[in-house]
Amino acid sequence: MAKSYDVAGLRDVFPSSKKITYLDSGFQAPMCVPVKEKLEQFIASSFEDAGPKSGWIDEMEETRRKLASFINASPEEIAFTKNTSEAMNIAANALGLKEGDEVLMLEGDHPNNAYAFMNLAQNGVSTRFVPMPERVDGAYVAQYVQDNTKAISMSLVTFHAGHLFDVASVGRLCRERGIHFVVDVMQGIGVTPVDVKAIGATFVGSGTHKGLLVPQGLGFLYWNREFADAKPAYMAAITVENPPADFIARHDNMALAATARRFEIGNFNLPGAMALGAALDLINEVGVHEIEAHCYDLGDRLIAGLDKLGVKLVGPRDRKARAPHIYVAALPADEWVPFLERMNVRVSPERDGIRISLGMFSDAADIDRFLKVADEKLASIAA
Ligand SMILES: Cc1ncc(COP(=O)(O)O)c(C=O)c1O
């Protein structure tokens, strides 16, 4: 039976949604009650009882299990990172790419994904940007693959226009051709269902401060352990299979952990990981498919409204090609972002307009308020 979508109830869980017309979840999530309570619990236990570090670590491991199940992975395949950039850099350096190898990427994709690979130039690895059309799938990418193409890296959802790419078919192409595939799911996860087995990548990385609802400073990296040769560029005690109990590093104890722990470096963002556990409980309670469907419906309403105003949508319109929650309206950002801010409507400047991005708590009234404010401004410009 389909769950009913209680958006009014969710607005109580995201109180700022009742004060601001918040259309900027693609920038960062406003804090929700369960995340705030979890962070307060962390602060209280640290402040009042000097904190049970082992208990916090247990909670982090519980979050690792929840996150793994959320993306159809096993906990052994998940490393916690600082953010997407760190996840992408770990991945780029773990693939064993050599001088003369090439990495394919999409022109204009997120720089935090691209630079990680561009930096491999110091090892003689080249990167090539291929044009980004509205739809990217395996057949499209195949035409650019050369003999020396050893990896492809791309985003699931683009931040600047809301494309939703068919990463599963690119993953199939990569498996057929023996090419590594790395996917940045930062802009999609939490709203678009992510199934790492269906994607079939070597690595999938993300931060957690958008659809996963926690403050900045936590990310993760999924590692497909079939690619057992993948090795970290850095080491720490936790990276090895048997971290020395006496805290003395020895040359005969450098065997890497068999799990994704081999990619983790030093102490963790424990409050972030604990908050992520609470956020995942909320997302699972609402249902990621329900969040996706809700955002698609709001997106349809927004597109119809923009059409009526004669404002062009940048990026795909079709549900098959667009993400549920990211829409760019071709309105000059320099003028419109500050204007909307004054009207208590929060959006982001984007390269071709203003980005309206939705979260699980967004509602039809948010869309209608944006459209009404935009209509009034357009009318005043025309007058
Ligand atoms: C596709 C994508 N990748 C990465 C990032 C951010 O990278 P990081 O988590 O390293 O700050 C963003 C947005 O902030 C994004 O939209």
Side-chain angles (χ1 to χ4, degrees), residues 83-85 110 112 155 159 184 186-187 210:
N83 48 34
T84 324
S85 306
H110 201 284
N112 285 355
S155 297
F159 71 103
D184 166 355
M186 175 54 161
Q187 203 53 259
K210 302 183 198 280

Side-chain angles (χ1 to χ4, degrees), residues 80-91:
F80 284 114
T81 65
K82 185 173 133 198
N83 48 34
T84 324
S85 306
E86 189 177 64
M88 291 295 123
N89 273 275
I90 294 171

Side-chain angles (χ1 to χ4, degrees), residues 55-298:
W56 294 337
I57 289 174
D58 289 347
E59 276 206 55
M60 179 186 75
E61 293 306 331
E62 180 57 28
T63 299
R64 195 192 301 271
R65 288 189 281 278
K66 285 181 194 169
L67 178 60
S69 134
F70 187 64
I71 61 172
N72 192 25
S74 75
E76 292 74 26
E77 294 173 312
I78 304 290
F80 284 114
T81 65
K82 185 173 133 198
N83 48 34
T84 324
S85 306
E86 189 177 64
M88 291 295 123
N89 273 275
I90 294 171
N93 286 283
L95 298 176
L97 300 176
K98 297 184 302 297
E99 183 158 7
D101 291 346
E102 175 191 76
V103 183
L104 287 188
M105 296 186 293
L106 297 171
E107 183 84 54
D109 205 344
H110 201 284
N112 285 355
N113 178 353
Y115 277 119
F117 289 89
M118 288 157 70
N119 189 39
L120 298 178
Q122 56 187 320
N123 306 335
V125 176
S126 62
T127 43
R128 184 158 54 105
F129 289 112
V130 307
M132 185 193 288
E134 273 207 357
R135 287 170 195 253
V136 170
D137 58 14
Y140 172 75
V141 177
Q143 61 185 316
Y144 295 101
V145 170
Q146 307 179 145
D147 287 349
N148 67 338
T149 306
K150 294 292 167 2
I152 295 173
S153 179
M154 62 187 281
S155 297
L156 167 68
V157 168
T158 65
F159 71 103
H160 68 285
H163 305 83
L164 173 70
F165 294 134
D166 180 2
V167 289
S169 74
V170 181
R172 279 194 296 279
L173 167 81
C174 289
R175 284 197 302 282
E176 278 160 28
R177 304 278 184 95
I179 296 170
H180 285 295
F181 189 32
V182 180
V183 186
D184 166 355
V185 297
M186 175 54 161
Q187 203 53 259
I189 193 164
V191 183
T192 304
V194 170
D195 178 335
V196 292
K197 295 283 172 332
I199 297 173
T202 308
F203 286 108
V204 173
S206 184
T208 59
H209 66 266
K210 302 183 198 280
L212 292 181
L213 309 178
V214 298
Q216 286 80 355
L218 180 70
F220 73 87
L221 179 68
Y222 154 82
W223 168 42
N224 178 349
R225 292 199 297 162
E226 281 169 30
F227 299 98
D229 290 347
K231 289 194 181 57
Y234 300 97
M235 282 192 85
I238 196 156
T239 319
V240 297
E241 182 64 21
N242 297 304
D246 58 4
F247 283 85
I248 296 175
R250 294 183 182 83
H251 286 108
D252 63 359
N253 183 16
M254 290 184 68
L256 291 169
T259 67
R261 200 159 52 72
R262 65 170 56 188
F263 297 112
E264 291 181 334
I265 304 163
N267 273 281
F268 294 91
N269 177 351
L270 293 173
M274 289 162 62
L276 178 60
L280 285 167
D281 289 345
L282 173 64
I283 295 166
N284 284 328
E285 199 184 304
V286 180
V288 71
H289 292 280
E290 283 72 14
I291 296 170
E292 179 188 39
H294 174 69
C295 289
Y296 269 130
D297 288 347
L298 294 180

